[in-house]
Amino acid sequence: MIDPDQLENFLLVRYALTARRHINPSERESCQRFLQEVASRLNGGNVVMDQFSARLVGDLLPQLPWQFFMQVANNWPTLRQFLGRELPAVPLRDRLRVASLPTEAEFNELLVAKFDPPNCGADPVKQG
C-alpha cells in the first residue's frame, strides 16, 4: 500500500513506463502536467471522471493557455485509457473506483463548453 501523498509520484512513474511513449514528444509535458493536476486532487474512493474533468478544466482554465488544453485533447484517447487502467490499480488503502470516463468526443465537448465566452470570462465577438 502507498500513502495518498505518494499517489502523484506513483502515477507519474506508471505514466513514464507505459503511456508516455505513445504521446508526441512536444506534447508530453502538457500531458504530464494534466496527470499531476489529476493526481493532486485524488485521495481514494469513487471518482466520477466526467464531473471531475469538468471541475479540473474549469480550475485550470484561468491558469494555462489554450494550447495546453489542445495538447491534452490531442492525446485524450491515450490519457483516457491510462487513467481507466491505472487509477483503479493504484495500491491505496481506499482504492480509486473510476466511473464515467469521458470519451474523446465528450472531452472535446467539455472543452468547447468551457471555452465558450460566457464560461471563460471573455467578451463575445461583436457582429456588425
Side-chain angles (χ1 to χ4, degrees), residues 29-114:
E29 186 175 335
S30 293
C31 292
Q32 181 172 325
R33 168 76 186 273
F34 183 80
L35 291 174
Q36 287 174 301
E37 295 293 338
V38 167
S40 71
R41 290 163 168 79
L42 297 173
N43 58 12
N46 296 325
V47 183
V48 181
M49 284 301 293
D50 55 356
Q51 296 169 4
F52 179 88
S53 298
R55 282 192 309 274
L56 178 61
V57 169
D59 290 349
L60 296 178
L61 193 62
Q63 303 171 29
L64 297 166
W66 65 268
Q67 293 91 341
F68 170 86
F69 298 98
M70 180 188 70
Q71 291 177 356
V72 171
N74 288 345
N75 294 285
W76 184 248
T78 301
L79 293 172
R80 180 183 191 272
Q81 181 181 16
F82 174 80
L83 291 168
R85 181 183 64 237
E86 297 296 334
L87 288 180
V90 175
L92 292 169
R93 185 169 305 284
D94 185 12
R95 291 284 180 148
L96 292 164
R97 290 170 295 287
V98 178
S100 302
L101 264 167
T103 64
E104 184 175 11
E106 291 167 340
F107 190 76
N108 287 333
E109 288 171 15
L110 163 68
L111 292 178
V112 168
K114 292 294 184 181

